[in-house]
Amino acid sequence: MSTGTTSPPAHWSRPPLIKATWARHTLTVLVLLYLVWSLNSLEVDWERVAKGLPRAADIFSRMVPPDFSRWELLSRGIIESLEMAFAATIAGMVIAIPLGLCAASNLVPKPVYLIARSIIVVTRTFHEVIVAIFFVKIFGFGPLAGVLTLIVASISFLGKMLAEDIENMSPGQVEAIKATGASFPKMLIYGVVPQILPRYLGVSIYRLDANIRHSTVVGIVGAGGIGQTLSATFSRYDYDFSLAILLAIIALVFIGEFFSSWARGKLR
Amino acid sequence: MTGSDALQARYPEIWRKYTPRQNAIRMLWYMGAVFVAVWSVRHLDIPWFYFLDAHVQAMDLGVRMFPPDWSYIDEVIDPLLETIHIATLGTIVTFFIAFPTAFLAARNTTPNTATWLFGKFILVSTRSVNTVVWALLFVAIFGPGPVAGVWAIAFRSIGFVGKLIAEAIEEIDHGPVEAIEATGASRLQVLLMGVLPQVLPVVYGTIVYRWDINIRESTVLGFVGAGGIGIQLYSSINQFAWSQVSLMLSLILIVVIVSEFVSATIRRWIT
């Protein structure tokens, strides 16, 4: 067998993702080592965790049936969340335009670009809840802090998407408008805006949907909306009302997602 | 005359992108959006006078936060590592739950309509509930600590990862699947040899992408007691120890940017 041409192997096995054997084995060992290390370093109170399952059963049995009797409180929270999301999306859309223009490398000088980009990176890094805490500290409890948080998140997201769209647009139209002797604002209105407006509206509608989702959670640190009601029910062990709120949030998010994909489909 | 009128209507002197009707509809949408926003702001009852001294407050905060208190770093390195561990372990747990669920939620691999609906239900419901809300629930179940955090991260990610994998499964090329079927392979073998190799790159890519989102998410789990740096961050904020806060924020910034870079590099390498 060893002599002559190589015959096809009797058994076929899938080609591995990583070709080099040593690299594959090293990676496996490293992953296992990491698992051992991380599981050990988490200080876990296993006794408490062991009690988890019966507790979970208890919590779930107290959650069902969901209690919708306080629907007034529920609907007030939901409406507040929705209002926060709408207000923040519109405000974010307006403020994101100058930021997005400044973050497009083909429109502005380098220093402006770098400043705008770093604003986007830094605001994107911090989770909404961290931003919300700061606004709660400055503006006090209530929906104002929540709206401002969502505005910050919307600006950095929309600004980033806008900048990328501007960078990817076709330069031909811009050059054509410039060739007519148009000024910078005219170039923006006739060369840039028509190319990016449909996508910008689409991204904004997506952001509205994202804001609805986030508006349900910033309340946990006191920034208004249904989240505030939800975290209160958890601290009062009011689990049947919690489930009612959770179901309402799921329905809200679902409707928001549906509306967002419908509206974006219409735009196309 | 009528001929030139028609021509005039088709090629007007002044070019307009939209017909008057389209313009009117667009304007109605814009006005509707503005109306909803204005009404929302009014209904929220925002205390505008808070803005009067907001810049003073913000400046004050800025001054107190600078410079970061680097001596506090010994206290926060362990929680920071714990944050990363929670994100990583949560993502690993997600993989084991989301992967089979995705096969249930993809039309071409699910056994029947009931299992498809079940898979879809899991994906939609886990995705709709925010990580922090999941954390509230798991803290109630497992008590405060990283275990609750790991499960919260895992549950929120199931819907995200599962949805993307299910979409990838639905978009596979049917050639290899039919070829494997033609050899008389069993259902499982078709899945393993025909479907799996096509979706594996997407699976790895999605998992790595979610891991980098989870690092960001796990920084706030501590606010509801689910472990990680959020616990220290929250207590420092409540004690107005702003120079410690700014230290932690700087560290979070570094970790998030590095993890984003790592994730982008791995994803570029996979695909």
Side-chain angles (χ1 to χ4, degrees):
Chain A
M1 272 297 182
S2 53
T3 58
T5 54
T6 48
S7 57
H11 186 80
W12 176 85
S13 67
R14 253 184 297 155
L17 182 74
I18 305 167
K19 287 271 158 50
T21 322
W22 64 269
R24 207 163 60 234
H25 291 320
T26 331
L27 200 67
T28 318
V29 170
L30 282 180
V31 167
L32 286 177
L33 278 179
Y34 174 79
L35 276 182
V36 172
W37 176 52
S38 58
L39 282 173
N40 274 325
S41 70
L42 295 184
E43 281 157 23
V44 177
D45 180 2
W46 289 110
E47 260 176 55
R48 180 68 185 74
V49 173
K51 288 184 198 138
L53 273 184
R55 273 183 81 100
D58 178 47
I59 289 173
F60 283 121
S61 70
R62 277 157 64 185
M63 272 186 163
V64 213
D67 173 19
F68 284 100
S69 62
R70 275 164 287 171
W71 60 270
E72 277 178 352
L73 197 59
L74 177 64
S75 64
R76 208 184 309 144
I78 291 276
I79 288 173
E80 191 170 84
S81 278
L82 274 176
E83 287 167 352
M84 283 160 57
F86 279 123
T89 309
I90 301 279
M93 276 174 76
V94 175
I95 308 173
I97 292 173
L99 183 67
L101 290 177
C102 292
S105 56
N106 50 351
L107 283 186
V108 293
K110 195 92 183 175
V112 180
Y113 165 78
L114 287 177
I115 293 172
R117 280 284 165 170
S118 44
I119 292 177
I120 291 176
V121 168
V122 171
T123 46
R124 240 167 58 84
T125 303
F126 295 114
H127 195 277
E128 284 80 13
V129 177
I130 295 182
V131 180
I133 277 206
F134 272 85
F135 282 122
V136 167
K137 286 287 163 195
I138 297 178
F139 292 101
F141 290 105
L144 175 59
V147 172
L148 292 173
T149 306
L150 296 179
I151 289 179
V152 168
S154 308
I155 292 172
S156 84
F157 178 81
L158 292 175
K160 181 168 182 272
M161 299 311 258
L162 185 62
E164 269 160 25
D165 284 345
I166 295 176
E167 283 171 356
N168 292 334
M169 74 185 176
S170 90
Q173 299 182 34
V174 177
E175 268 167 37
I177 304 285
K178 268 187 192 159
T180 65
S183 60
F184 186 77
K186 278 192 175 161
M187 187 272 286
L188 281 184
I189 294 172
Y190 293 103
V192 178
V193 171
Q195 292 197 56
I196 55 167
L197 190 64
R199 261 191 65 90
Y200 188 60
L201 289 179
V203 173
S204 301
I205 292 169
Y206 170 76
R207 189 62 222 181
L208 174 65
D209 162 33
N211 278 345
I212 292 176
R213 269 181 281 137
H214 290 137
S215 68
T216 62
V217 68
V218 288
I220 285 169
V221 291
I226 188 75
Q228 212 160 336
T229 325
L230 180 66
S231 84
T233 63
F234 266 98
S235 48
R236 281 185 282 132
Y237 307 106
D238 203 354
Y239 292 125
D240 49 355
F241 191 36
S242 310
L243 183 61
I245 296 175
L246 282 178
L247 291 175
I249 290 179
I250 292 176
L252 183 69
V253 170
F254 198 71
I255 294 169
E257 228 165 79
F258 186 77
F259 168 76
S260 146
S261 64
W262 171 79
R264 277 180 292 153
K266 276 260 170 184
L267 272 177
R268 237 172 265 133
Chain B
M1 256 337 222
T2 50
S4 84
D5 270 358
L7 213 64
Q8 183 75 36
R10 235 178 122 186
Y11 303 103
E13 204 67 19
I14 300 170
W15 175 82
R16 293 200 193 283
K17 193 169 174 191
Y18 299 104
T19 63
R21 197 183 124 84
Q22 280 172 323
N23 255 331
I25 294 174
R26 271 155 43 92
M27 280 305 138
L28 275 179
W29 272 105
Y30 291 154
M31 276 162 60
V34 171
F35 174 77
V36 169
V38 170
W39 180 76
S40 300
V41 171
R42 289 187 64 103
H43 195 247
L44 281 173
D45 223 8
I46 285 169
W48 295 104
F49 57 87
Y50 277 179
F51 280 97
L52 289 177
D53 68 337
H55 60 284
V56 182
Q57 296 260 3
M59 274 305 289
D60 183 46
L61 207 59
V63 170
R64 280 162 200 263
M65 283 175 83
F66 192 81
D69 179 9
W70 289 98
S71 61
Y72 193 60
I73 198 161
D74 293 337
E75 307 278 318
V76 290
I77 282 297
D78 279 344
L80 196 63
L81 285 176
E82 188 175 82
T83 305
I84 300 172
H85 291 331
I86 290 173
T88 312
L89 293 175
T91 313
I92 293 173
V93 175
T94 297
F95 172 76
F96 287 106
I97 306 177
F99 192 58
T101 315
F103 280 89
L104 285 184
R107 268 176 209 277
N108 50 348
T109 50
T110 194
N112 54 50
T113 315
T115 52
W116 178 71
L117 280 176
F118 179 66
K120 276 274 169 195
F121 172 74
I122 292 180
L123 296 190
V124 169
S125 55
T126 52
R127 207 153 40 93
S128 305
V129 178
N130 195 288
T131 313
V132 185
V133 179
W134 278 120
L136 278 176
L137 183 68
F138 283 111
V139 166
I141 293 175
F142 294 118
V147 175
V150 169
W151 282 102
I153 290 286
F155 263 67
R156 170 63 179 83
S157 311
I158 290 170
F160 179 92
V161 173
K163 183 179 182 239
L164 291 178
I165 298 179
E167 278 167 9
I169 296 174
E170 281 174 356
E171 280 162 18
I172 55 167
D173 177 10
H174 284 276
V177 176
E178 272 168 35
I180 306 276
E181 272 169 359
T183 64
S186 69
R187 254 193 98 85
L188 186 68
Q189 282 172 323
V190 172
L191 281 185
L192 284 181
M193 303 293 174
V195 179
L196 196 59
Q198 296 194 50
V199 294
L200 266 187
V202 176
V203 172
Y204 292 134
T206 314
I207 285 284
V208 172
Y209 179 48
R210 186 67 213 182
W211 169 75
D212 132 47
I213 299 176
N214 282 345
I215 296 261
R216 225 174 133 258
E217 300 258 294
S218 60
T219 55
V220 297
L221 288 172
F223 292 5
V224 292
I229 198 164
I231 299 174
Q232 263 78 2
L233 188 59
Y234 201 43
S235 74
S236 290
I237 288 175
N238 284 332
Q239 293 160 16
F240 304 104
W242 296 111
S243 54
Q244 295 174 3
V245 172
S246 60
L247 170 75
M248 282 183 258
L249 291 183
S250 325
L251 292 177
I252 290 175
L253 185 71
I254 295 168
V255 168
V256 170
I257 289 177
V258 168
S259 70
E260 218 164 88
F261 176 76
V262 169
S263 142
T265 313
I266 295 179
R267 275 181 287 148
R268 206 173 318 124
W269 177 63
I270 288 173
T271 49

